[in-house]
Amino acid sequence: MEAVQNLIIEYLGPFGPLMVVGLLGIFLILITLPVLLKKEEDPLDRLKANVRQEKKTTDKGEKLRAASNKDKLEKYSNFLEPQNAEEYSAVKLKLMQAGYRSKNSVRIYHFLQFALGIFGLLIGGVYAIWSSTISEVEPTNLALMILIPGGSGYMLPRYWVTRRQEVRKAAISDGFPDSLDMMLVCVEAGQSLDQSILRVARELKAGFPDLAEEYEIVCQEMKAGKDKTAVLKDMADRAGSTDISSFVTVLVQSQQFGTSIADALRVYASEMRDKRVMRAEEKANKLPTKMTLATMMLTVPPLMAILIGPSIYAIIKNLGGGAGG
């Protein structure tokens, strides 16, 4: 054992044994974790778990998670999914707003976080061992080499989903005023609201696929017999846009009070056009401020070199001539 320890210290430095023990621990955890998760469950415990799962419902009366025989991650659901209904609903809503509507999206999302985090730790451990063989590394830097890739791998799915959510919201907000104008034309032509939404979804599929997909889901849910008010509110939740939330409120109030949908659409479409113009003007007014830093970095240094460069060269030349004389 002393010979092995001396060999490890010779190749990996004074902290070599500690690094080997840590990597061995991670390897043992990766081996034993599937075994622990695959252990047979008592039938009575399974029955109790099914009863508790049926009682755990969301505010809409749906089950917390849906089981599927084809899903290989189903047996790890208790480990990969939040056990709190509110936390589970928040993650599911965020994924839906990002465009991921699969029943197992929450499970896959947490699995990717766990897998990429472990992969990042392994990459960091390999890099730390390689750095220790080249030169002596301080313990703090060694820990950072291992933890930073692991944390980056764990946060990568969250960053991707957040970014996808923002891009999708922006795409829906950009195409929403045009969809209102088309819907107003269809309603004034004599079509019902359901037919107008379906026609708008077909027309917008090429230019704004995200918004067209939301309209198609609304049409399919209405055909299935779901309440129109609930369908529109679900659309507002999936889109995550304040414009669509206000639009849904206008339609619901118009339906409840019996006012003309065409008049409501005409007024709201005009407001959305004005709002889009204001957003464009806001971006245009921000542009000079954003360009100031780039202009200074790209313009000032060459200008200073042109103006001051000859003077500096002449001064250096005179000093050199004076020293030579």
Side-chain angles (χ1 to χ4, degrees):
M1 293 297 296
E2 292 181 357
V4 174
Q5 185 176 0
N6 293 332
L7 183 63
I8 293 174
I9 293 175
E10 181 181 355
Y11 282 97
L12 300 180
F15 296 98
L18 183 61
M19 295 170 55
V20 172
V21 171
L23 292 176
L24 182 61
I26 294 175
F27 181 71
L28 292 176
I29 290 174
L30 294 176
I31 293 177
T32 56
L33 186 61
V35 177
L36 293 176
L37 293 175
K38 288 182 180 179
K39 64 180 181 179
E40 295 184 1
E41 187 179 4
D42 186 59
L44 184 60
D45 295 337
R46 190 185 302 115
L47 180 61
K48 292 180 180 179
N50 292 332
V51 173
R52 287 196 300 266
Q53 185 175 357
E54 291 178 358
K55 291 181 179 180
K56 287 182 179 180
T57 55
T58 58
D59 296 336
K60 297 178 183 179
E62 299 175 350
K63 290 185 178 180
L64 185 61
R65 52 182 65 85
S68 177
N69 295 328
K70 297 181 180 180
D71 187 13
K72 296 181 180 180
L73 300 177
E74 172 64 27
K75 50 189 174 183
Y76 308 121
S77 59
N78 293 330
F79 176 73
L80 294 175
E81 293 180 354
Q83 299 303 310
N84 188 1
E86 295 181 358
E87 184 179 356
Y88 180 87
S89 300
V91 177
K92 186 175 182 180
L93 178 60
K94 185 175 182 179
L95 292 172
M96 289 178 64
Q97 291 179 355
Y100 304 107
R101 299 189 181 87
S102 173
K103 294 182 179 179
N104 303 325
S105 57
V106 178
R107 191 176 305 154
I108 296 173
Y109 171 70
H110 287 285
F111 171 74
L112 289 175
Q113 281 189 317
F114 175 75
L116 291 177
I118 295 297
F119 181 73
L121 289 176
L122 293 177
I123 294 296
V126 173
Y127 178 72
I129 294 175
W130 178 73
S131 299
S132 300
T133 56
I134 296 177
S135 61
E136 186 176 354
V137 184
E138 296 182 0
T140 304
N141 296 332
L142 195 65
L144 291 176
M145 289 178 185
I146 298 175
L147 294 178
I148 289 178
S152 301
Y154 181 80
M155 295 300 295
L156 182 60
R158 181 175 298 182
Y159 169 77
W160 173 263
V161 171
T162 303
R163 180 62 180 169
R164 181 77 180 94
Q165 182 183 12
E166 294 176 355
V167 171
R168 192 169 182 273
K169 284 183 181 179
I172 290 176
S173 299
D174 292 340
F176 188 60
D178 295 334
S179 68
L180 288 180
D181 293 334
M182 296 173 62
M183 195 178 301
L184 175 62
V185 172
C186 294
V187 170
E188 289 182 342
Q191 293 184 347
S192 64
L193 181 62
D194 303 350
Q195 295 174 345
S196 301
I197 293 176
L198 181 60
R199 181 60 183 270
V200 170
R202 293 175 181 174
E203 295 294 335
L204 292 178
K205 188 173 293 184
F208 304 97
D210 295 326
L211 184 58
E213 185 180 4
E214 292 294 337
Y215 282 143
E216 287 180 353
I217 294 174
V218 169
C219 295
Q220 292 174 1
E221 289 182 347
M222 287 182 179
K223 289 180 180 179
K226 193 174 180 180
D227 183 55
K228 185 181 295 186
T229 303
V231 169
L232 293 175
K233 290 182 178 180
D234 290 343
M235 176 187 172
D237 293 337
R238 289 193 307 268
S241 175
T242 56
D243 296 339
I244 295 184
S245 300
S246 302
F247 168 69
V248 169
T249 303
V250 169
L251 289 184
V252 171
Q253 291 179 352
S254 177
Q255 183 180 2
Q256 290 177 350
F257 295 107
T259 58
S260 174
I261 296 179
D263 294 339
L265 285 175
R266 186 179 297 105
V267 174
Y268 197 74
S270 177
E271 292 180 358
M272 287 296 101
R273 285 194 298 271
D274 295 339
K275 191 172 182 180
R276 182 169 60 180
V277 172
M278 287 189 291
R279 281 201 297 262
E281 292 177 351
E282 181 182 359
K283 291 181 180 179
N285 293 329
K286 288 180 179 179
L287 189 59
T289 306
K290 294 180 179 179
M291 292 179 62
T292 301
L293 182 60
T295 303
M296 293 177 61
M297 293 177 62
L298 298 176
T299 305
V300 175
L303 183 61
M304 296 294 291
I306 293 172
L307 296 178
I308 305 177
S311 301
I312 295 175
Y313 176 76
I315 292 172
I316 295 174
K317 186 176 181 181
N318 291 332
L319 290 176

